[in-house]
Amino acid sequence: GAVVSQHPSWVICKSGTSVKIECRSLDFQATTMFWYRQFPKQSLMLMATSNEGSKATYEQGVEKDKFLINHASLTLSTLTVTSAHPEDSSFYICSAAGGVTEAFFGQGTRLTVV
Amino acid sequence: KQEVTQIPAALSVPEGENLVLNCSFTDSAIYNLQWFRQDPGKGLTSLLLIQSSQREQTSGRLNASLDKSSGRSTLYIAASQPGDSATYLCAVRVYSGYALNFGKGTSLLVTP
């Protein structure tokens, strides 16, 4: 299968700071990228969908000004958690799709805000 | 809105047993269904992908079936091993290019 690389795999930041998470498709062009969040013992919940060169579409209840998504190229999407707070601590994972039926997932990022 | 339910939430079996994990979804109009494995603190490993026109897929000791009309899928694991211990997630895609809707997963523990 195709490879999606997500960095960092874990990050600890202070409350009030911003954190950027990168998601790269290494061997295919990702026309669409999805960002999910997973709280402990919960399922993955879709946060937003981004198409290359367009503004991201956010799911209901997800603050677009807090979770900034950029998908400027066909191989890179970034998620920036702005002014992070402890309640933003979670597991964030990206998924990339590009003209195939299957979406491929990154390794995920464990964010801890202290 | 598509809802995905997985039963049981947790399962503990002795090594060597065959087991079945269940997944149900509320809207039968799906594009495909995918089973994943997630190890603690890790990302997702895709196990099997079943297109809406297919009835089952097999990979090694794993077999996944799909009954779209009844909104059900099962993941069959033969001759379970301790290394199979993980959380298994079922996810459905409503349309091509859309995001996946995930169930909460079944946490599997296979004891030696």
Side-chain angles (χ1 to χ4, degrees):
Chain A
V3 179
V4 176
S5 178
Q6 185 174 341
H7 293 281
S9 57
W10 61 271
V11 58
I12 301 173
C13 71
K14 290 185 178 180
S15 185
T17 62
S18 296
V19 174
K20 179 184 285 188
I21 302 170
E22 291 190 348
C23 180
R24 293 181 184 273
S25 57
L26 299 185
D27 51 4
F28 70 103
Q29 294 184 325
T31 52
T32 305
M33 287 203 179
F34 307 98
W35 287 94
Y36 297 83
R37 179 168 55 184
Q38 184 181 36
F39 291 108
K41 305 290 186 185
Q42 297 297 314
S43 182
L44 279 76
M45 297 300 294
L46 180 68
M47 298 176 65
T49 301
S50 72
N51 292 299
E52 185 266 338
S54 303
K55 288 185 177 181
T57 301
Y58 290 81
E59 295 298 300
Q60 190 173 9
V62 178
E63 301 174 57
K64 61 181 181 182
D65 294 330
K66 182 171 186 60
F67 299 99
L68 301 179
I69 292 174
N70 183 283
H71 190 174
S73 79
L74 286 171
T75 59
L76 174 64
S77 176
T78 60
L79 167 66
T80 301
V81 183
T82 63
S83 186
H85 288 94
E87 57 265 30
D88 298 324
S89 298
S90 187
F91 186 70
Y92 295 85
I93 190 166
C94 69
S95 172
V100 293
T101 60
E102 185 173 358
F104 299 94
F105 285 81
Q107 305 95 314
T109 297
R110 172 73 57 192
L111 170 64
T112 302
V113 184
V114 298
Chain B
K1 183 177 185 289
Q2 180 74 266
E3 300 285 343
V4 181
T5 303
Q6 290 187 246
I7 295 173
L11 181 63
S12 180
V13 300
E15 181 177 8
E17 275 203 9
N18 302 323
L19 54 100
V20 175
L21 307 182
N22 297 291
C23 172
S24 62
F25 44 96
T26 54
D27 189 340
S28 62
I30 65 170
Y31 183 74
N32 59 31
L33 181 145
Q34 205 163 349
W35 283 92
F36 295 89
R37 168 184 174 139
Q38 185 176 30
D39 291 284
K42 303 293 184 182
L44 304 181
T45 300
S46 179
L47 299 174
L48 291 165
L49 171 70
I50 310 177
Q51 301 295 348
S52 62
S53 59
Q54 297 174 324
R55 294 301 297 261
E56 66 176 348
Q57 285 285 334
T58 298
S59 176
R61 294 183 292 109
L62 305 179
N63 175 276
S65 67
L66 174 63
D67 184 343
K68 202 173 65 167
S69 61
S70 67
R72 295 180 183 179
S73 176
T74 61
L75 178 66
Y76 176 82
I77 302 177
S80 58
Q81 301 171 358
D84 294 331
S85 299
T87 295
Y88 290 81
L89 297 168
C90 169
V92 299
R93 181 177 284 105
V94 176
Y95 297 107
S96 173
Y98 274 46
L100 289 164
N101 290 312
F102 283 87
K104 290 187 177 181
T106 294
S107 178
L108 173 65
L109 176 64
V110 181
T111 56

